[in-house]
Amino acid sequence: AQSVAQPEDQVNVAEGNPLTVKCTYSVSGNPYLFWYVQYPNRGLQFLLKYITGDNLVKGSYGFEAEFNKSQTSFHLKKPSALVSDSALYFCAVKGSSNTGKLIFGQGTTLQVKP
Amino acid sequence: DAGVIQSPRHEVTEMGQEVTLRCKPISGHNSLFWYRQTMMRGLELLIYFNNNVPIDDSGMPEDRFSAKMPNASFSTLKIQPSEPRDSAVYFCASSSAGASYGYTFGSGTRLTVV
């Protein structure tokens, strides 16, 4: 069965510091991995995805994520956090054999303090 | 493209009343998903359609909930009768077929049942 785990309910970082939001997955076949961000009172917005190729994927707003097959992880990173990055972040996965639903993690709240 | 359009944005209704939420997916997308988001349970997939056909409704909480997709450009989620525990934000998302595509989410409908 497919699953996604985001082990941290909340991540706190100071503005200007690097941030990491963790995600691990379990899926049959090659994974298709996604990160979404949700700002207050808004829908989820696509940040980036990994399908194939380079393990380091760059996305919107300066975010990037590193696919690690051996550790089955897809952590979200940013070199220098902004207060405006504070939001709820979701990791999601699909199996390559599955053209249907994305499986979402439970979400991690990122709090960036000035 | 205007994105995924949901209406209404906010709905306040009395317990026992019927509630209908509406969604217009992105033109050309052939998969549509209804999610519910609450603080307690996070993001839950209620049902999804592929080419207007319901594929998986295992997330629909009970018979009070029903969803339809009469054509490729419109879907409804109905709750009858509504209960206070149905209070949540309901999101619609659409996607193109194929495992490499993520979802585009609407802005959601915030439902309050009093």
Side-chain angles (χ1 to χ4, degrees), chain B residues 25-42:
Chain B
I26 289 176
S27 177
H29 282 188
N30 61 350
S31 295
L32 184 139
F33 307 82
W34 282 101
Y35 281 86
R36 177 172 68 177
Q37 186 177 35
T38 61
M39 290 291 291
M40 292 296 292
R41 294 185 298 271

Side-chain angles (χ1 to χ4, degrees), chain A residues 42-109:
Chain A
R42 303 289 295 275
L44 278 70
Q45 297 176 33
F46 171 81
L47 266 184
L48 52 79
K49 67 179 178 182
Y50 171 83
I51 304 300
T52 187
D54 193 347
N55 289 344
L56 186 64
V57 178
K58 294 188 183 299
S60 307
Y61 312 121
F63 282 92
E64 57 190 27
E66 186 167 13
F67 171 62
N68 187 317
K69 188 172 183 177
S70 62
Q71 297 185 4
T72 61
S73 67
F74 189 57
H75 301 332
L76 181 70
K77 300 181 180 185
K78 187 172 182 181
S80 178
L82 300 172
V83 172
S84 58
D85 293 329
S86 299
L88 182 58
Y89 290 81
F90 290 94
C91 181
V93 68
K94 264 194 221 182
S96 57
S97 60
N98 175 15
T99 58
K101 58 187 181 184
L102 279 177
I103 303 300
F104 284 87
Q106 68 271 36
T108 298
T109 298

Side-chain angles (χ1 to χ4, degrees), chain B residues 18-70:
Chain B
E18 177 180 295
V19 176
T20 299
L21 311 182
R22 298 173 176 79
C23 176
K24 177 178 168 55
I26 289 176
S27 177
H29 282 188
N30 61 350
S31 295
L32 184 139
F33 307 82
W34 282 101
Y35 281 86
R36 177 172 68 177
Q37 186 177 35
T38 61
M39 290 291 291
M40 292 296 292
R41 294 185 298 271
L43 197 61
E44 303 173 275
L45 176 64
L46 300 177
I47 185 171
Y48 82 94
F49 296 84
N50 204 35
N51 295 320
N52 312 337
V53 175
I55 302 300
D56 183 353
D57 66 353
S58 59
M60 295 286 262
E62 48 197 275
D63 292 345
R64 297 185 297 108
F65 285 69
S66 62
K68 294 182 180 179
M69 192 165 186

Side-chain angles (χ1 to χ4, degrees), chain B:
Chain B
D1 197 323
V4 176
I5 299 173
Q6 290 187 247
S7 64
R9 288 297 309 273
H10 302 274
E11 176 81 36
V12 180
T13 191
E14 291 185 348
M15 183 173 64
Q17 296 298 305
E18 177 180 295
V19 176
T20 299
L21 311 182
R22 298 173 176 79
C23 176
K24 177 178 168 55
I26 289 176
S27 177
H29 282 188
N30 61 350
S31 295
L32 184 139
F33 307 82
W34 282 101
Y35 281 86
R36 177 172 68 177
Q37 186 177 35
T38 61
M39 290 291 291
M40 292 296 292
R41 294 185 298 271
L43 197 61
E44 303 173 275
L45 176 64
L46 300 177
I47 185 171
Y48 82 94
F49 296 84
N50 204 35
N51 295 320
N52 312 337
V53 175
I55 302 300
D56 183 353
D57 66 353
S58 59
M60 295 286 262
E62 48 197 275
D63 292 345
R64 297 185 297 108
F65 285 69
S66 62
K68 294 182 180 179
M69 192 165 186
N71 56 62
S73 59
F74 184 65
S75 177
T76 59
L77 178 68
K78 186 178 292 186
I79 308 172
Q80 165 64 15
S82 58
E83 297 182 2
R85 61 193 168 118
D86 302 329
S87 298
V89 181
Y90 291 81
F91 289 104
C92 176
S94 70
S95 173
S96 295
S100 64
Y101 289 93
Y103 298 176
T104 301
F105 280 80
S107 297
T109 295
R110 182 174 295 276
L111 174 66
T112 303
V113 183
V114 297

